[in-house]
Amino acid sequence: MQCGCAVVCTDNKGYLEMAKDGETALVSPVKDPQALAKNIIRLIEDDQLRHTIAMNGNKFIYEFDIEKSYLKLKKFLNEIN
């Protein structure tokens, strides 16, 4: 996403922080290689979809900020103490 490429991934929790199916990425179920292949083929065959996913993903990924993450973690840790 950060380098401007369209992303196809599985729906594990780590990816789902940034991968919104049909918006910032194409998301396939874990352990479903046919669905993953289908999404890859969709991006290869559909230029408009590939460009839209790439642009949306790139824009979205830059909303992540280390300072914001730090402040959220700090707030959480203060709340549990």
Side-chain angles (χ1 to χ4, degrees):
M1 281 183 188
Q2 192 169 16
C3 68
C5 293
V7 171
V8 175
C9 61
T10 59
D11 63 355
N12 73 48
K13 291 184 186 208
Y15 290 137
L16 295 181
E17 289 293 319
M18 61 190 157
K20 298 177 185 211
D21 191 34
E23 185 179 337
T24 64
L26 294 182
V27 181
S28 308
V30 173
K31 297 184 181 181
D32 188 345
Q34 288 80 19
L36 190 63
K38 183 178 176 183
N39 278 335
I40 293 168
I41 291 167
R42 280 182 66 198
L43 288 184
I44 291 170
E45 294 180 342
D46 188 337
D47 289 341
Q48 182 61 43
L49 177 63
R50 185 175 64 254
H51 291 290
T52 299
I53 295 286
M55 289 186 328
N56 289 345
N58 186 256
K59 181 179 176 183
F60 180 69
I61 203 72
Y62 279 98
E63 293 176 16
F64 287 85
D65 178 90
I66 191 71
E67 184 67 22
K68 288 180 192 175
S69 297
Y70 163 73
L71 293 174
K72 283 182 183 180
L73 178 61
K74 183 178 175 182
K75 180 181 176 187
F76 171 76
L77 293 174
N78 285 332
E79 289 174 358
I80 63 171
N81 285 328

